[in-house]
Amino acid sequence: VVIILGTLYLMLTHFVLFFSAAPPTVRIIHSGHACNVEEERHTERVYTIREGETLELTCLVTGHPRPQIRWTKTAGSVSDRFQDSSVFNETLHIAKILRTQGGRYYCKAENGLGSPAIKSIRVDVYYLDDPVVTVHQSIGEAKEQFYYERTVFLRCVANSNPPVRYSWHRGREVLTQGSDKGVEIYEPFFTQGETKILKLKNLRPQDYANYSCIASVRNVCGIPDRSVIFRLTNKTASPSIKLLVEDPIVVNPGQTVSLVCITTGGEPPPVLTWVSTNDSLPQRSVVKGGTLTLPAITSDEAGVYSCVASNNVGNPAKKSTTIVVRALKKGRFWITPDPYHNDDNIQIGREVKISCQVEATPPEELTFSWLKNGRALRSSERMVITQTDPDISPGTTNLDIIDLKFTDFGTYTCVAALKGGGIPEISIDVNISSTTVPPSLTVPRGKSPLVAREGDTVELECLVSGKPKPIILWSRADKEAPMPDGNMQMESYDGVLRIINVSREMTGSYRCQTSQYNGFNVKPREAVVELIVQYPPTVEPVYTEKRQGLGRPVVMTCKVLRAHPSRVLRFEWLLSNRLLHAGAFDAQKDETEYTIRSLNRDGWGEYTCNVINEAGAGKCTFQVTGKAYPPEFYYDTYNPLWQNRPRVYGFKLQWTQMNPNAVDRIVAYRLGIRQMGLQRWWEQEIPVDGPINKGELMTHNLTELIKPESYEVRLTPITRFGEGDSTIRIVTYSAPINPHLREFHCSFEEEPICMFTQDKNDDFDWTRHSAATRDTKYTPNTGPSGDRSGSKQGFYMYIETSRPRKEGDQARLVSPFFNVAPKNPYGITNPPAYCFGFFYHMYGKHIGTLNAFLKQKGQTTSEGPVWSLSGNQGNHWKQAKVSIHPTSSFQVVLEGIRGPGIEGDIAIDDVTLEEGECRDPPPSELHPHPPIYGCYASPW
């Protein structure tokens, strides 16, 4: 992180410095309505929130280029999904959070450098539902004595997180184990504390009372206790009901059906509900009290309907009835020649059987009648009418004609009906004559193999002869695969299989086969049709951009992934419809290449490569351009604002250039800026002297920005080609903590702690806290009672010296990098001075040492602290100031060292850094003790 301080802002209008790209880092901070946050334990970080509140998690990232952020979640409901608007934002916002949305949330940041940075936090959603009391009774009888005992169990259950605690009251009396000999309270082992049972053994008169079960989660997250009351009387009983309907109920479609259910017992009065074997009650159904009405019923609404009565005493009562909706459908027939002769034809003197089948509901109401040439036909010795066993072939009737005679030729009609009436009959005509012959199947000439192009509508055809013509069944012959409609077979009445929008996956063999339905019940006839689906070449890349500078070579390659037919492939290279090169593919190659040896201005444009076969063409497109890649704004500078007049502010805009050497040299940037909410853009050009290297950090100071307005900033690189890709960001004003100071100032009020970081090589960390939240139970005689301003809500940093810390343990807090800009290209001759200041609180009999170091970029050793203080300094805040003289980019380090005991907490607040020597250092606090000389071990 680079920060330019003091008057350097005013002296420099534009400069370039080198900066290495940085992999991402990430931290998760929280806002919203948290009840409690357990910060960074060794195992996990837990964020507790009440159901219905708003969850906000913010992912703070650093890294350059700016990392992309993605939120993911595990350990929650599998049906839980993020909204697209929140999953890629820095802040994850979930309003009215549900219990199913608890779980572990991960923030992942990546910018292509190193491994992605991932942090997680577990969200625990707290809730408490209303408790429910269920009652169970048992009666024990003594056979040889004239008494019985009645025992009642009251069970209380409430869904909650965290686990609920229960208490029982009888009236105003609190019931506990042992408080009453007739009362036992226990938690069964198998419930694992999720319920509490009150047992009333051998009921007494005083046991008939109001019982209250109170469920509590100890007011966590402000969740109040919930309670339920159950009144136990000598009439308390489980429910009983009666259905005032028949079972089953057989109705015609369109009728209105009413199911009536009444209670015949139960105290408290039971609640009646209706359920169905279907997923839910029909949409048009009406429930009123215990009556369920189904208007204009349909076959889809047939099924089992149950009335359920519940009053939380004993088991619910349930009575069911079945609604049957009459229906007749799917009338079919088949002809079976004499089974005793090996001949599929019908012949005079032999037997022939006509079978007729329908689907009937209810099947027991199905009746059949037969007609011959329109006249009723009765069963006789030669005309035998039977019905097939329903278990073998349900809904089937047969007419056996024994010793077929010429006079038996004619039209036979099978009529199916239901006894109850109200349903239209189904009539099926079957003609028996000398022309009634079994079927045969052939494929028309030229129809196999059938060649089609992908996307066409094709018709596979099998010619069926014979009388009557049966239904044709189509299926795949080459593999076990579904047909285009998703079924394994498709029916056709004319022998044609029609496929719309045929695809390459449908290439293969298709079987057409006669069925027994509406034809002869003989061995199926079948034939096979071959389908070949041609498709144009699939190529890659479909579209790509080639950015290149003038005078450099450009190579474009178009690759064929698949094509049918693949034998004859041609290619054409074009620039804006102008043919450049054409030819045929080599049998051994699956790609074609075009090269521009030296790109000139005429070479910019859209190149296409068409790869062609009989079915069409696949196209690769290459956009050859000299456009520069977009700049990448640098976001990691902490608070890159300064102010020089009361009404305006400035902003230090920083960026690097993506792939600067991919095209011609960038000669300038076009800067556009407009105030948010206004339409007008102000533009200016920022010249660039010399080539830009990858990773160079460029800076331009924006001035005269009006407080407190926000601005949209657009930056566009310019080359010989012209304008490149633009990048846009928003500049937002944030007021400094001390408006009268032009300095770096950190009071640790915000979670990012001004980009300070914890040293990874020390023994423990500094902790951000406020007096209002700090736990002082174990260390009452150390640490501040408020921040430097005296506020108990204000934040500061301190070292916690309680166990497991031991004497000599070190905690180091490292500032962001501060830059020292050279005033001439040959470096710094007179190092500038800066005043480093902070407030400290060192109270307690075991206070150790507080050190301040100057760490310069590239430095591996230290000459010792620039400021140091040890021992108890009293229960109040004091200020320290020290002048430092860095010669390169630098950091300041604050080191706390634990003393001999737990009463040794050291705190710091209000860290400042401003240009110039310290004008008024505290006279007695810069070095209250003599400076330390000699050898000092460096902390880095």
Side-chain angles (χ1 to χ4, degrees), residues 314-601:
N315 296 319
K318 183 178 181 180
K319 295 285 185 180
S320 303
T321 186
T322 302
I323 298 179
V324 179
V325 181
R326 291 188 179 94
L328 280 176
K329 53 186 178 181
K330 286 193 178 179
R332 292 178 168 180
F333 74 91
W334 59 91
I335 301 169
T336 306
D338 193 333
Y340 300 105
H341 294 81
N342 189 19
D343 192 344
D344 291 344
N345 292 289
I346 296 174
Q347 295 188 21
I348 299 294
R350 294 184 182 177
E351 179 182 338
V352 62
K353 180 166 69 173
I354 306 172
S355 299
C356 176
Q357 184 184 64
V358 296
E359 292 183 9
T361 305
E364 61 270 13
E365 288 191 7
L366 177 62
T367 61
F368 285 107
S369 60
W370 285 89
L371 305 176
K372 178 185 178 185
N373 297 329
R375 295 183 179 182
L377 189 64
R378 298 181 181 279
S379 184
S380 63
E381 291 183 0
R382 286 188 55 255
M383 299 282 184
V384 181
I385 299 174
T386 60
Q387 270 189 256
T388 304
D389 187 338
D391 294 335
I392 299 175
S393 182
T396 305
T397 182
N398 306 295
L399 172 62
D400 277 288
I401 304 175
I402 311 298
D403 187 16
L404 180 69
K405 300 182 183 298
F406 182 78
T407 55
D408 295 330
F409 289 164
T411 299
Y412 292 83
T413 304
C414 161
V415 181
L418 294 179
K419 293 178 183 177
I423 303 298
E425 299 175 338
I426 291 180
S427 298
I428 302 171
D429 293 332
V430 183
N431 185 264
I432 301 295
S433 68
S434 59
T435 59
T436 303
V437 293
S440 64
L441 273 181
T442 58
V443 178
R445 181 176 297 178
K447 292 294 186 178
S448 181
L450 183 64
V451 179
R453 291 189 178 182
E454 193 169 40
D456 290 349
T457 296
V458 298
E459 292 186 348
L460 308 186
E461 187 176 353
C462 280
L463 290 178
V464 56
S465 61
K467 187 180 179 181
K469 289 185 178 180
I471 297 173
I472 302 301
L473 301 177
W474 285 90
S475 60
R476 292 295 294 258
D478 54 346
K479 57 184 176 181
E480 192 75 15
M483 297 294 284
D485 67 350
N487 297 313
M488 298 305 293
Q489 285 187 333
M490 291 178 65
E491 292 185 353
S492 169
Y493 288 85
D494 59 0
V496 175
L497 173 64
R498 188 171 289 102
I499 303 176
I500 299 174
N501 193 22
V502 68
S503 65
R504 63 192 68 180
E505 294 81 11
M506 297 177 185
T507 295
S509 302
Y510 290 79
R511 179 189 297 109
C512 61
Q513 177 179 296
T514 61
S515 73
Q516 69 176 33
Y517 300 120
N518 298 0
F520 274 70
N521 183 21
V522 295
K523 182 179 179 180
R525 276 61 167 165
E526 62 179 50
V528 174
V529 178
E530 293 289 337
L531 174 62
I532 299 173
V533 180
Q534 295 182 343
Y535 52 89
T538 301
V539 297
E540 70 173 10
V542 175
Y543 178 87
T544 190
E545 190 177 56
K546 293 277 190 177
R547 302 198 185 209
Q548 189 59 282
L550 293 174
R552 303 178 190 174
V554 180
V555 179
M556 293 166 278
T557 303
C558 185
K559 184 176 182 179
V560 180
L561 301 178
R562 49 193 169 272
H564 190 83
S566 58
R567 300 183 308 277
V568 183
L569 288 177
R570 297 181 296 110
F571 63 82
E572 297 175 345
W573 283 94
L574 302 99
L575 171 58
S576 302
N577 297 321
R578 177 168 59 88
L579 183 64
L580 301 173
H581 180 52
F585 271 82
D586 190 302
Q588 305 299 322
K589 285 191 173 183
D590 60 357
E591 63 184 33
T592 174
E593 186 176 279
Y594 185 79
T595 301
I596 304 172
R597 287 189 173 86
S598 179
L599 182 65
N600 56 34
R601 292 180 180 273

Side-chain angles (χ1 to χ4, degrees), residues 663-682:
V663 295
D664 292 319
R665 185 178 75 81
I666 295 171
V667 295
Y669 285 93
R670 178 165 287 114
L671 174 68
I673 183 168
R674 71 181 178 97
Q675 185 177 322
M676 297 295 290
L678 302 182
Q679 297 297 320
R680 185 175 181 181
W681 285 86
W682 296 91

Side-chain angles (χ1 to χ4, degrees), residues 20-33:
S20 298
T25 68
V26 61
R27 295 172 57 228
I28 295 177
I29 64 170
H30 46 79
S31 57
H33 298 80

Side-chain angles (χ1 to χ4, degrees), residues 243-254:
L243 280 183
L244 304 182
V245 292
E246 298 178 353
D247 184 31
I249 304 172
V250 182
V251 296
N252 290 331

